[in-house]
Amino acid sequence: MALPLVYVAALPAIAGVVSHLAYFIHGEHMLTAYKLVIAALFCPPTVIALLTILAGLPLSHAALLTSVSYGAYMTALFTSILVYRAFFHPLRRFPGPRLARLSQFYHFFHIRTKVDNYRHLDRLHAQYGEYVRVGPNLLSISDPDMIEIIFHPQSNFNKAEWYDIANPLLNLVQLRDRAEHDRRRRHGWDLAFTTKALRSYDSRVIKYADQFVAQMQGRAGQAVNVTDWLEWYAFDVMGDLAFGRSFKALEKGQSHIYIDTMHQTSALPLGCLGTLPWVIQTMTALVPPRLNPFMTLVRYSDECIEERKQRKPTEPDIMTPILAAGPFYEDPKADALLLVGDARLIIIAGSDTSASALIHSFYELGRDANVVRRIREELEQHGIRNDDSLSITQLQYLEYLNAFINETLRMHPTNPGGLFRLTPPGGVKIGGHYLPGGVKVVNPHYTVLRSPKAFVAPNEFIPERWTTRPELIRNKKAFCPFSQGRFACIGRNLALNELRAVISKSVLEFDISFAPGETGRALLEDSKDIFTMSLARLELRFTKRSQK
């Protein structure tokens, strides 16, 4: 006699609740998500086939039993998940959109069109306050006082599973284990960014700054889309310093396939799905490599690394001490993947962030002629001219120039949406509530750096707050454009040198202004948050100075 369907459904329903409470609610499952997706897709037809072949059931009856039991399991599983998230999760007492506590896809739905993650977070903080639950297990914190607590060198907060997004293709930044990360930094990376090493890079930074200025001289008085040109400058510098060869984008006046592919493959994954890393990991695992456009970057990086191994550059580059350090992992395959990942990191992280800072710097230069005048006067007071005598070391300690760069990084952070961290294993008290270990938090830099708790007149561009008006800074520790602690950006000083060089040479050579019809609105409103920034057009006019 056939069992009533209610009995067929009972055991799977119980199993659904138990699997949530015993498995899914504990630990991380991002790296196995693709296996769960495969199981969810292929289990039903497999069970139907087994019931039909081995148990001799009619196909229709086998399909009915499977549908009822599978449906009961999935219904119970997701009901248990939703009930837990809504009423029992450690973040239940924090304010935020009601639907955001049930699914991270709520976040995706709201940013999918404009890819404006940081602006979405900023709007939520304006509505709900400094502590906002923006996902089932994600708390966004715009309280400036929490920056040091979370990112201090002695902090017990660790990197969230977001950093496994490209696993097994890892790099220095994506190493989550602290001991492994520290060991990798000592394995060549630290030597690549010593003061001595930076001095050896100076001539190449200057070389490409000169190329940028030369291209602007040829376009003097015209409307120029500096978004492209400054991006090409940043990528040319890092291509040379990473592989000993430039992308030659500045020289040719056109983009490179590596640059184009990077932006094309980052908008949807990192822009829209950045808070759903398991989806990206699953897509990467299931899509054949030949159909995955991201693999173009990997293959190009691999080719560059192999070519770089075969020769010794005339001048040391970033890869010199990294390659000289030898294998990092015993497994040759894992070591090769890490090296390719590190090469990709040098190019993308080193170029994209510098380009973002540069483009916003030139936005501020074009917006206010007084700023251009102040920087130029400071340079000339120190006897600095745009000729062969100009050196990076001359620029390092110029007070107003550095204040201008700091204010640009404050107003226009290169990673505006923030970094993902996990609460310590022993738990922590945040916003008046105790949170156990394993809860994800993010600090949206755009919102934090415009907090009135940290800065007076936070939405005004005032470089003097870093020089003659320190009273405009209420919490200096909130300002960490390159992060801080053991996971801080290792290329900070190189990025600053790039900024100082091209800004100085440009203001010495030109008067800089918005091109006719340019307001900067497109740059500020249409740029996309892809973890770093994919910036919209900014058209400026470079006018040759009549007197120097």
Side-chain angles (χ1 to χ4, degrees):
M1 183 175 68
L3 286 173
L5 292 180
V6 65
Y7 293 115
V8 173
L11 188 59
I14 294 172
V17 174
V18 171
S19 62
H20 171 233
L21 299 179
Y23 175 71
F24 287 105
I25 207 172
H26 302 290
E28 299 175 0
H29 308 290
M30 191 177 85
L31 296 181
T32 57
Y34 76 97
K35 296 179 181 179
L36 296 172
V37 170
I38 292 173
L41 292 174
F42 289 98
C43 257
T46 301
V47 171
I48 291 173
L50 291 175
L51 289 175
T52 303
I53 297 171
L54 300 182
L57 296 179
L59 178 62
S60 59
H61 189 50
L64 176 63
L65 291 177
T66 302
S67 298
V68 170
S69 58
Y70 187 70
Y73 173 83
M74 298 300 286
T75 300
L77 171 63
F78 283 100
T79 299
S80 180
I81 290 173
L82 294 176
V83 168
Y84 171 74
R85 290 176 174 179
F87 302 108
F88 300 102
H89 194 279
L91 294 179
R92 64 188 179 277
R93 294 187 178 90
F94 288 92
R98 290 184 180 276
L99 291 178
R101 66 181 58 198
L102 299 180
S103 174
Q104 199 65 58
F105 280 100
Y106 173 88
H107 190 93
F108 166 78
F109 177 81
H110 278 269
I111 68 171
R112 73 193 188 285
T113 303
K114 290 190 174 182
V115 195
D116 60 345
N117 171 64
Y118 75 97
R119 289 193 177 276
H120 174 63
L121 293 177
D122 190 58
R123 290 189 291 268
L124 291 179
H125 281 290
Q127 180 178 355
Y128 294 103
E130 292 182 321
Y131 298 84
V132 184
R133 186 181 182 186
V134 297
N137 188 41
L138 181 59
L139 182 69
S140 184
I141 302 173
S142 66
D143 182 356
D145 295 335
M146 288 299 299
I147 294 295
E148 187 179 27
I149 295 173
I150 294 174
F151 294 99
H152 189 274
Q154 304 305 318
S155 170
N156 289 323
F157 283 77
N158 209 351
K159 293 180 180 179
E161 70 270 22
W162 184 93
Y163 290 87
D164 283 331
I165 203 166
N167 191 291
L169 187 64
L170 300 175
N171 57 50
L172 174 70
V173 168
Q174 290 176 280
L175 295 177
R176 297 175 64 193
D177 181 84
R178 295 185 180 209
E180 186 178 33
H181 173 272
D182 293 348
R183 187 167 65 89
R184 182 57 177 167
R185 280 191 64 140
R186 294 191 300 269
H187 198 83
W189 274 91
D190 283 340
L191 290 176
F193 291 94
T194 62
T195 301
K196 181 180 179 181
L198 290 173
R199 291 290 73 82
S200 72
Y201 307 151
D202 285 352
S203 61
R204 280 160 284 182
V205 172
I206 293 290
K207 169 187 172 182
Y208 294 108
D210 283 335
Q211 284 189 12
F212 172 81
V213 169
Q215 291 286 13
M216 295 306 102
Q217 286 172 335
R219 292 162 177 76
Q222 303 174 22
V224 178
N225 176 19
V226 295
T227 296
D228 284 344
W229 287 99
L230 290 169
E231 187 172 73
W232 297 341
Y233 163 78
F235 273 87
D236 276 355
V237 170
M238 294 311 298
D240 197 331
L241 293 181
F243 304 129
R245 65 182 191 185
S246 164
F247 290 104
K248 296 188 176 181
L250 275 177
E251 179 184 319
K252 297 179 179 179
Q254 64 184 38
S255 191
H256 185 278
I257 187 172
Y258 193 99
I259 304 172
D260 295 336
T261 304
M262 186 201 70
H263 286 302
Q264 292 165 6
T265 58
S266 297
L268 175 62
L270 296 181
C272 295
L273 297 172
T275 58
L276 289 159
W278 67 268
V279 175
I280 302 174
Q281 241 287 327
T282 299
M283 292 168 58
T284 302
L286 297 182
V287 174
R290 67 180 182 278
L291 300 179
N292 185 348
F294 173 74
M295 294 307 294
T296 301
L297 301 181
V298 176
R299 286 191 291 270
Y300 186 84
S301 298
D302 190 25
E303 292 170 6
C304 289
I305 284 292
E306 289 305 313
E307 190 271 340
R308 172 62 183 78
K309 286 179 178 179
Q310 302 306 315
R311 62 178 173 80
K312 183 177 180 180
T314 55
E315 297 179 284
D317 55 27
I318 295 172
M319 295 305 299
T320 298
I322 294 175
L323 291 174
F328 183 73
Y329 291 125
E330 292 183 4
D331 180 0
K333 183 177 180 181
D335 195 72
L337 287 173
L338 180 62
L339 194 57
V340 171
D342 277 345
R344 186 171 49 89
L345 170 67
I346 295 169
I347 295 296
I348 296 177
S351 304
D352 232 20
T353 52
S354 296
S356 177
L358 274 169
I359 293 161
H360 283 111
S361 294
F362 275 74
Y363 161 80
E364 296 295 347
L365 294 173
R367 189 177 66 86
D368 190 347
N370 288 325
V371 172
V372 175
R373 177 183 56 80
R374 288 285 305 277
I375 295 174
R376 182 185 297 147
E377 287 177 352
E378 183 178 52
L379 290 165
E380 292 177 342
Q381 285 169 6
H382 286 80
I384 300 173
R385 301 180 180 278
N386 183 27
D387 55 30
D388 292 341
S389 68
L390 186 148
S391 69
I392 298 291
T393 52
Q394 289 178 300
L395 308 176
Q396 285 183 302
Y397 304 106
L398 297 183
E399 187 176 65
Y400 189 81
L401 174 61
N402 286 319
F404 168 76
I405 292 172
N406 277 352
E407 189 68 349
T408 299
L409 292 171
R410 184 189 72 81
M411 292 285 286
H412 312 286
T414 59
N415 169 231
L419 305 172
F420 296 98
R421 293 291 186 263
L422 288 176
T423 54
V428 66
K429 192 171 184 179
I430 293 180
H433 301 293
Y434 170 79
L435 296 180
V439 174
K440 285 185 290 186
V441 299
V442 66
N443 299 93
H445 295 157
Y446 178 86
T447 306
V448 171
L449 293 173
R450 292 180 182 236
S451 170
K453 286 178 60 176
F455 301 95
V456 177
N459 294 313
E460 295 182 31
F461 189 86
I462 309 174
E464 290 78 9
R465 74 173 77 241
W466 304 99
T467 57
T468 58
R469 303 180 65 187
E471 70 276 5
L472 297 182
I473 301 176
R474 289 175 170 152
N475 184 351
K476 194 171 185 177
K477 292 179 180 178
F479 180 70
C480 52
F482 298 95
S483 191
Q484 58 179 292
R486 67 204 313 151
F487 296 133
C489 176
I490 195 170
R492 172 182 182 274
N493 290 322
L494 175 59
L496 291 174
N497 287 343
E498 292 179 52
L499 286 162
R500 292 171 184 136
V502 78
I503 290 170
S504 298
K505 282 182 166 289
S506 296
V507 300
L508 287 170
E509 193 73 18
F510 306 104
D511 288 320
I512 303 170
S513 61
F514 282 171
E518 178 64 79
T519 64
R521 185 207 63 80
L523 177 71
L524 299 184
E525 297 181 13
D526 297 338
S527 296
K528 300 183 186 304
D529 178 358
I530 57 170
F531 184 67
T532 53
M533 292 294 291
S534 178
L535 297 176
R537 292 178 66 89
L538 174 66
E539 294 197 339
L540 298 182
R541 182 164 57 188
F542 293 78
T543 304
K544 185 79 172 172
R545 291 177 62 204
S546 57
Q547 294 180 350
K548 296 185 184 179

